[in-house]
């Protein structure tokens, strides 16, 4: 089965654009659930469809662009859409002022844009993530897989594999609507098509020259032949022909050199655009995201001027197409396997390069895939557009500058209003797995084949700079283990700027900075976006902070990303729903010292008109050592050793003292103004030199513009100042932990599993089964030793008397590829998969490290939580990251709370689980955990809610210089107003 990629563009007047967008917005309810448009398209072979308004720059027209991916050929797909959506399309046409013809099918066909990769074709590139699979097949195989999953829920695996498969086949045969799927169909191949080498690339270059420079070659050959024909005699003609051929080759090489020189000149002249996307447009774009397992991206870019750019775009599309067909695995772009359907197309008669993509997962995870796995291809496709990050040689640089690339991508993005998906709750990984399930059901005939097939339901196949430490607040360098008492104060500053600044002037000298272990009591200060505004940070600087920080954790967009719904929705929080201005963290050596600090802080607050919004007193830290003198890990409320798996920042004391290479990250992952793991700097959050006359802030840090060597052109006395340098974003979430519910659930499950055939035989007591089940949910034993190193019992033994320490030097993919030690869905595997997705891959480990967070939270007791109705202890979760979306939110959305993480289905983090809503149903479902075992998968079902969100916020921890800048010019000239 082939797939049709249909793109139709109809011009209309620009002044109708907003009205058309409005009418498309009204159709959204009809595109989801049992909506009328969805019902009209269902079962008709349409995979995806969108309608987008592409506004033209005068004198270009504005276009109504319809694009859909369907089964069969273009003509049949257009007929299907024209027939099914006749009334809706005519309504849109009428709103746009587009004359409607009686033959809608013919009208759409005449406005179809046909793309190709030839020299004179309309440039374009199509991609499908599941070639050869029809929409109906994908839906049918999903229904089959769900039925089999439900069967195993009711009939746990407790017999030999072939016997289990035989019983299941009998069950499926009894269901007429599913029995037809006993016919095996081809499964998408997951191996690469071919091998690359020097020969391949030389051949690619030769074919490319013939394809795109054939007019030059043809003219030179014709001239050579004419020259030879003009000579008399065979030998004279032969000599003339060979001489002409040699000259032609030299001229062709000169033409190629000229083209390359023009390309490099254009690349050098290109100026990357560091501006943030418009807030209102971004809010609208994000409002249409994350409503299903899939998302849609509509990007509209503007081509750079010049014939050379249009030729290089054609070359880039052709090269990417050749790689996709001859090198990559079917359905993959490089190593990206999350795209269902995508297309690029240069809209004829305009400078608009359109990109439409239907993909699984979050926008952040999708862009990270591009950056880490296919940056060269993305650079080739978009380096010809205006404002793209600095690139060279058409395919290099560009998208490797991840932060700039994501800013650029957001600026191109348009809100997706009219979007139809035939299977909105399926990822490409799930589609492939469902196809394998069907094939195995029909064909498995040996014990090995049946075992491999059963594994589909429980596991995957094994398959730069030195830190300016005196500028950085001390919490980034460690959690102050010797300061056993701590508290968090959430504050609101006075609305009058001078009063707020006077409070900061009194507070800043009491804060702690640097990497040396603090001796005295410690204070740390972080500010929200609202708090920075109250301290009169310039509006253009405020606008340069990332969207997540500007919106705040309680914003509906962030709440959706973090799964803060139901009882955890921000409106139910004790604090954080109403914007706070700052958080002050206090650490003391004793309860008395902490109480003294709190009195001092509250006195300063009251004097300057500040308000204490919320306070959490943290539990006393267990500062204990074992018989050998080694510091013991702290224990969280559920009884597990905590704080074991942490990234190690290169250049800190911990890195210099001892570090495991798999956990080392570059400073830029947690500190702004430094290179990150990909060797690039995030865009600066600048303050103009005129507003920093005291030169308190660093000159905007040399930024990577695409190459790995910094560009120092921004230095000098008049350069912008980098307000964010040496700062970091701090996430704070107050999480109640229902310890009684957790313990009760573990015991209930252990009792229920007591007679289960799949339980390991050595778990011969209720105590051992409880410890084992809890460990499988977390991924570690309670003593902190890992399941990877100690799969059968805790490292310290069942009685805790053996000598073992919490370990973190393991690779999940290499040492546990099938998840039979640490389940794929376990808490720690979701929080940091390491190289689990591609066992043994250093590149995959590097990709995972792009999403690390630095945790600095502590436990609190119920009476210290600050909530009047508190009954449970909990965790004041705090973590540092330089990119809230790429790090904290990515972990929460793409790993922890993703239903289909690592090929699983309808599972979320069993510890953070707060229920989920199943595909095709608004009904809330309880979470589950699949535990792979050699005897088959065990299912822990109906995992209860153990966590309740009490409050939270996104904060920025400024550097010493940034805080002094916020104190204002009066304070910085020596006239500090302190109590």
């Amino acid at each position: 089965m082939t797939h049709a990629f249909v793109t139709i563009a109809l011009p209309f007047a620009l002044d109708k654009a907003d009205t058309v967008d409005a009418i498309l917005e009204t159709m959204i309810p009809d595109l989801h659930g049992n909506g009328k448009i969805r019902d009209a398209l269902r079962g008709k072979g349409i995979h995806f469809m969108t309608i987008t308004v592409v506004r033209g720059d005068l004198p270009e027209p504005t276009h109504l662009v319809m694009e859909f991916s369907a089964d069969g050929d273009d003509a049949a797909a257009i007929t299907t859409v024209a027939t099914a959506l006749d009334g809706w399309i005519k309504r849109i046409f009428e709103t746009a002022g587009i004359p409607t013809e009686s033959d809608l099918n013919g009208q759409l066909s005449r406005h179809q844009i046909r793309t190709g990769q030839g020299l004179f074709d309309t440039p374009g590139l199509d991609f499908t993530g599941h070639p050869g699979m029809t929409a109906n097949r994908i839906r049918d195989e999903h229904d089959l897989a769900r039925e089999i999953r439900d069967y195993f829920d009711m009939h746990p695996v407790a017999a030999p594999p072939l016997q289990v498969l035989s019983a299941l086949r009998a069950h499926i045969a009894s269901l007429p609507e599913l029995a037809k799927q006993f016919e095996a169909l081809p499964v998408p191949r997951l191996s690469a098509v071919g091998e690359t080498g020097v020969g391949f690339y030389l051949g690619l270059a030769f074919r490319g020259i013939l394809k795109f420079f054939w007019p030059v070659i043809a003219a030179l050959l014709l001239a050579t032949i004419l020259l030879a024909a003009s000579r008399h005699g065979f030998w004279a003609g032969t000599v003339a022909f060979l001489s002409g051929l040699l000259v032609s080759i030299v001229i062709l090489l000169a033409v190629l050199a000229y083209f390359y020189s023009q390309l490099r000149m254009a690349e050098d002249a290109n100026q990357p655009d560091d501006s943030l996307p418009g807030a209102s447009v971004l809010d609208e774009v994000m409002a249409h995201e994350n409503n299903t397992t899939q998302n849609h991206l509509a990007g509209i870019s503007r081509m750079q001027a010049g014939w050379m750019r249009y030729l290089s775009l054609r070359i880039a599309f052709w090269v990417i197409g050749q790689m996709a067909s001859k090198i990559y695995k079917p359905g993959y772009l490089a190593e990206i396997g999350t795209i269902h359907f995508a297309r690029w197309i240069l809209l004829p008669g305009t400078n608009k390069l359109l990109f439409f993509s239907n993909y699984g997962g979050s926008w952040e995870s999708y862009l990270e895939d591009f950056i880490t796995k296919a940056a060269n291809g993305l650079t080739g496709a978009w380096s010809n557009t205006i404002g793209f990050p600095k690139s060279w040689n058409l395919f290099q640089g560009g998208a490797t500058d991840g932060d700039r690339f994501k800013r650029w991508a957001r600026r191109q993005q348009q809100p997706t209003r009219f979007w139809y998906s035939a299977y909105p709750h399926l990822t490409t990984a799930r589609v492939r797995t469902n196809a394998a399930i069907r094939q195995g059901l029909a064909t498995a005939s040996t014990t090995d084949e049946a075992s491999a097939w059963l594994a589909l339901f429980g596991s995957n196949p094994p398959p730069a700079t030195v830190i300016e430490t005196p500028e950085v607040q001390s919490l980034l360098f460690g959690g102050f283990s010797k300061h056993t008492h701590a508290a968090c104060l959430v504050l609101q500053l006075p609305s009058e700027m001078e009063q707020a600044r006077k409070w900061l002037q009194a507070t800043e000298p009491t804060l702690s900075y640097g990497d040396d272990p603090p001796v005295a009591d410690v204070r740390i200060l972080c500010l929200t976006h609202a708090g920075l505004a109250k301290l009169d940070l310039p509006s253009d600087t405020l606008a340069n902070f990332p969207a997540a920080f500007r919106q705040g954790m309680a914003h509906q967009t962030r709440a959706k990303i973090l799964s803060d719904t139901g009882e955890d929705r921000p409106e139910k929080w004790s604090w954080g729903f109403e914007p706070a201005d700052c958080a002050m963290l206090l650490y003391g050596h004793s309860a008395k010292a902490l109480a003294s600090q709190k009195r001092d802080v509250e006195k300063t607050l009251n004097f300057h008109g500040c308000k204490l919004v919320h306070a959490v007193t943290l539990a006393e830290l267990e500062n204990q050592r074992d018989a050998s003198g080694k510091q013991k890990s702290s224990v969280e409320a559920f009884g597990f050793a905590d704080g074991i798996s942490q990234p190690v920042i290169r250049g800190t004391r911990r890195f210099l003292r001892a570090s495991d290479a798999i956990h080392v990250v570059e400073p830029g992952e947690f500190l702004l103004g430094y290179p990150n793991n990909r060797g690039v700097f995030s865009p600066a959050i600048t303050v103009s030199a005129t507003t920093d006359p005291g030169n308190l802030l660093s000159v905007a840090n040399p930024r990577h513009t695409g190459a790995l060597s910094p560009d120092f052109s921004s230095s000098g006395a008049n350069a912008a100042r980098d307000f964010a340098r040496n700062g970091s974003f701090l996430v704070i979430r107050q999480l109640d932990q229902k310890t009684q519910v957790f313990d009760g659930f573990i015991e209930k499950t252990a009792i229920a599993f007591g007679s289960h055939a799949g339980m390991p035989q050595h778990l011969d007591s209720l105590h051992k089964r409880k410890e084992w089940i809890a460990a499988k949910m977390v991924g570690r034993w309670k003593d902190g030793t890992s399941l990877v190193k100690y799969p059968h019992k805790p490292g310290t033994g069942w009685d805790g008397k053996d000598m073992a320490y919490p370990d973190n030097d393991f690779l999940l993919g290499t040492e546990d590829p099938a998840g039979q030690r640490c389940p794929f869905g376990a808490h720690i595997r979701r929080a940091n998969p390491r190289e689990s997705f591609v066992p043994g891959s250093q590149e995959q480990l590097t990709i995972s490290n792009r999403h690390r967070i630095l945790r600095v939270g502590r436990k609190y007791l119920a009476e210290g939580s600050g909530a009047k109705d508190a009954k449970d202890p909990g965790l004041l979760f705090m973590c540092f990251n330089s990119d809230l979306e790429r790090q904290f939110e990515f972990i929460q959305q793409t790993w922890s709370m993703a239903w289909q993480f690592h090929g699983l289905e309808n599972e979320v983090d069993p510890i953070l689980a707060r229920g989920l809503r199943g595909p095709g149903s608004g009904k809330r479902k309880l979470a589950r955990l699949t535990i792979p075992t050699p005897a088959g998968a065990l299912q822990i079902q109906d995992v209860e809610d153990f966590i309740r969100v009490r409050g939270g916020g996104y904060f920025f921890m400024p550097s010493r210089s940034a805080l002094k800048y916020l104190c204002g010019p009066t304070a910085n000239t020596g006239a500090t107003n302190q109590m």
Side-chain angles (χ1 to χ4, degrees), residues 264 268 272 389-392 396-398 400-401 404 675 678-681 702-711:
R264 290 296 299 120
D268 288 340
K390 204 72 167 177
S391 60
W392 56 96
Q396 292 179 283
T400 60
D401 189 346
R404 277 191 177 79
R678 297 193 67 81
V680 295
F681 296 81
R703 300 286 148 181
H704 282 209
T705 56
L708 293 180
S709 56
D711 171 17

Side-chain angles (χ1 to χ4, degrees), residues 332-539:
Y332 282 71
L333 274 178
E335 291 299 315
I336 298 176
T338 56
I339 305 173
H340 290 279
F341 286 85
R343 74 190 71 192
W344 282 273
I345 183 168
L346 185 63
L347 189 59
T350 76
N351 67 346
K352 304 297 187 302
L353 178 61
L354 311 183
F355 176 65
F356 300 104
S357 178
N358 305 277
Y359 60 93
S362 67
W363 181 90
E364 181 68 32
S365 66
Y366 182 51
L367 268 290
E368 276 295 306
D369 268 351
F370 272 142
I371 292 165
T372 56
K373 299 177 180 178
N376 289 346
L378 266 291
T379 299
W382 276 310
S383 63
N384 297 288
T385 62
I386 295 172
F388 193 75
K390 204 72 167 177
S391 60
W392 56 96
N393 297 332
L394 190 57
F395 293 97
Q396 292 179 283
T400 60
D401 189 346
D403 294 322
R404 277 191 177 79
F405 174 67
K406 284 189 282 189
R407 280 195 179 193
W408 177 89
R410 277 299 195 196
R411 288 197 305 274
Q412 318 307 305
Q413 199 170 345
Q414 302 295 307
T416 297
R417 297 181 174 88
F418 189 107
W419 176 45
Y420 166 79
S421 169
Y423 33 87
H425 297 288
L426 291 180
T427 63
T428 51
R430 195 69 236 169
V431 169
R432 296 177 189 115
T433 300
N434 290 345
I437 287 172
R438 175 181 182 170
Q439 185 189 52
L441 178 70
T443 63
S445 59
T446 67
T447 297
D448 287 345
E449 289 174 347
S451 296
W453 183 80
L454 286 171
L456 293 172
F457 296 90
S459 61
N460 278 356
T465 59
V466 176
I467 299 172
E468 299 168 356
T469 53
E471 281 287 308
V472 183
Q473 293 194 55
S474 300
L475 184 58
L476 188 92
F477 301 112
F480 311 127
S481 60
K482 294 182 179 180
H483 292 68
T484 54
H485 293 72
C488 174
L489 309 181
V490 182
L491 313 174
Q492 190 173 75
L493 302 180
S495 56
E496 207 280 317
M497 181 265 290
E498 285 301 327
Q499 279 294 97
R501 279 186 164 178
K502 288 178 180 178
W503 169 80
L504 184 60
Q505 292 164 15
T507 300
E508 190 279 325
T510 70
L511 303 179
S512 301
Y513 303 93
D515 195 7
D516 293 331
V519 177
D521 293 334
V522 175
R523 296 182 193 178
I524 302 295
L525 178 65
C526 303
L527 295 154
T528 65
H529 194 258
L532 291 169
K534 283 187 175 180
L535 290 164
D536 202 31
L537 188 65
S539 58

Side-chain angles (χ1 to χ4, degrees), residues 57-359:
D57 299 320
L58 294 177
E60 296 176 357
T62 292
H63 287 84
L64 183 73
V65 176
M66 305 170 60
E67 55 95 15
F68 40 94
S69 307
D71 299 324
D73 58 30
D74 291 4
I78 293 174
T79 300
T80 296
V81 170
T83 303
L85 303 185
D86 179 274
W88 287 285
I89 293 176
K90 288 179 177 177
R91 183 181 171 196
I92 296 170
F93 282 11
E94 181 182 355
T95 304
I98 300 172
T100 304
E101 300 176 12
S102 57
D103 180 12
L104 180 61
N105 180 52
Q107 183 178 10
L108 296 180
S109 298
R110 283 192 298 278
H111 285 88
Q112 181 184 2
I113 303 171
R114 299 184 183 277
T115 62
Q117 295 174 359
L119 188 58
F120 300 107
D121 292 330
T122 297
L125 184 65
D126 302 326
F127 175 80
T128 174
H130 23 75
M133 300 185 71
T134 67
N136 287 339
R137 174 187 170 181
I138 290 170
R139 292 172 62 91
D140 289 346
E141 289 177 348
H142 172 62
D143 292 341
L144 175 67
R146 290 297 300 277
E147 177 62 33
I148 295 173
R149 166 73 75 178
D150 291 344
Y151 175 86
F152 283 142
D153 284 348
M154 299 298 295
H155 306 84
V157 176
L162 278 176
Q163 186 177 332
V164 171
L165 184 55
S166 177
L168 176 64
R169 283 170 169 162
H171 171 71
I172 297 299
S174 69
L175 305 174
E177 70 278 10
L178 295 179
K180 61 183 180 181
Q181 296 197 53
F182 278 117
E183 175 192 358
L185 293 177
V187 175
R189 184 158 49 91
L190 297 183
S191 59
V193 177
E195 297 295 328
T196 59
V198 175
F200 170 81
Y201 287 111
L202 287 176
L204 189 68
F206 180 73
R207 286 183 287 116
I209 292 171
L210 291 178
K211 185 174 184 66
F212 295 103
F213 293 90
W214 63 262
V216 176
I217 296 173
L220 292 172
L221 283 176
L222 179 61
T224 300
I225 292 170
L226 292 175
L227 176 66
S230 68
R231 297 293 186 268
H232 298 289
F234 174 77
W235 290 111
T238 301
V239 171
F241 178 81
L242 293 175
S243 300
L245 192 61
L246 180 60
V247 172
S248 296
I249 292 173
V250 172
I251 294 174
L252 177 61
L253 292 176
V255 170
L256 295 175
Y258 175 75
F259 169 76
Y260 177 71
S261 68
Q262 292 297 302
L263 174 65
R264 290 296 299 120
M265 286 175 62
E267 289 175 337
D268 288 340
N270 177 44
Q271 292 299 315
D273 184 352
D274 266 356
S275 64
L276 288 168
S280 59
V281 175
L282 181 58
D283 285 346
E284 190 174 1
V285 166
M286 297 177 74
H288 290 82
E289 292 178 342
N290 300 315
N291 293 313
T292 71
T293 303
Q294 298 170 0
N295 275 305
H296 179 265
L297 190 154
I300 302 174
S301 311
R302 289 171 170 78
M303 289 289 293
Q304 296 182 40
W307 65 269
M308 184 276 306
R309 282 300 191 181
Y310 287 81
L311 176 56
S312 61
L313 177 69
R314 287 174 163 82
I315 294 173
F317 281 167
W318 179 78
V319 170
I320 295 169
Q322 291 294 303
M323 298 292 286
S325 62
K326 301 181 184 302
I327 299 297
Y328 305 148
K329 295 179 288 187
Y332 282 71
L333 274 178
E335 291 299 315
I336 298 176
T338 56
I339 305 173
H340 290 279
F341 286 85
R343 74 190 71 192
W344 282 273
I345 183 168
L346 185 63
L347 189 59
T350 76
N351 67 346
K352 304 297 187 302
L353 178 61
L354 311 183
F355 176 65
F356 300 104
S357 178
N358 305 277
Y359 60 93

